[in-house]
Amino acid sequence: MKGGLKIPIFILFIALSITSLGGVVDDYEKEISRLEKQCEEKMSKDYSTTGMVLATQEYYEELDKVLNKVYKELMATLDEEGKVALRDSQREWIKFRDKEITFAANLYSKKDGSIWRLSTPSIMTNLMENRIRELASYIGDQRDELF
């Protein structure tokens, strides 16, 4: 009987771990989705290239606010050494983000057709979304939300 209980307990542990993936990660994912939907609604009202670029830039600005929020929330969970490490990591990420955006802008500015103007703002928002998710997952780890 002892060996028979190990598998169900393991399965229960995995199920509880998966269901607890909500929490802070889920909250930020919902915020990203809400903002993305707002962007899509703006694009549907003005689907010109300029309208879509403006909507995407506004989305990026809103994501920047969310990124600042999640960064501050994560900072509040860390000891002094962790805060220094996060600050350094974020500074390096910002350098990477800016270089990536510069590269994309250079690449897509040379393409024919106005639709390419959407590529750089799209890359910008993807970078922000992914960083928000990364920092939110660290908060979840700090709160032991995965286990």
Side-chain angles (χ1 to χ4, degrees), residues 68-133:
N68 288 327
K69 179 182 172 186
V70 71
Y71 174 84
K72 288 176 185 173
E73 189 174 346
L74 178 56
M75 274 293 219
T77 69
L78 301 172
D79 61 17
E80 199 54 42
E81 185 180 351
K83 288 178 182 181
V84 170
L86 175 59
R87 191 174 307 119
D88 291 346
S89 171
Q90 189 67 1
R91 287 177 180 159
E92 291 301 315
W93 179 83
I94 289 168
K95 289 177 188 176
F96 162 77
R97 178 201 65 193
D98 292 348
K99 287 179 181 181
E100 191 73 9
I101 291 168
T102 299
F103 167 72
N106 180 276
L107 178 72
Y108 294 116
S109 68
K110 295 175 181 167
K111 296 279 192 179
D112 289 331
S114 62
I115 196 66
W116 290 106
R117 287 184 48 215
L118 284 170
S119 297
T120 301
S122 178
I123 289 167
M124 292 166 58
T125 59
N126 287 338
L127 289 166
M128 294 293 274
E129 290 169 353
N130 290 334
R131 186 61 175 173
I132 291 166
R133 289 179 181 113

Side-chain angles (χ1 to χ4, degrees), residues 12-26 133-134 136-147:
L12 178 64
F13 173 76
I14 295 297
L16 289 173
S17 296
I18 291 170
T19 59
S20 69
L21 286 175
V24 71
V25 175
D26 195 41
R133 289 179 181 113
E134 288 170 352
S137 71
Y138 291 138
I139 295 169
D141 291 347
Q142 284 295 97
R143 294 180 182 169
D144 293 326
E145 288 185 358
L146 298 179
F147 301 104

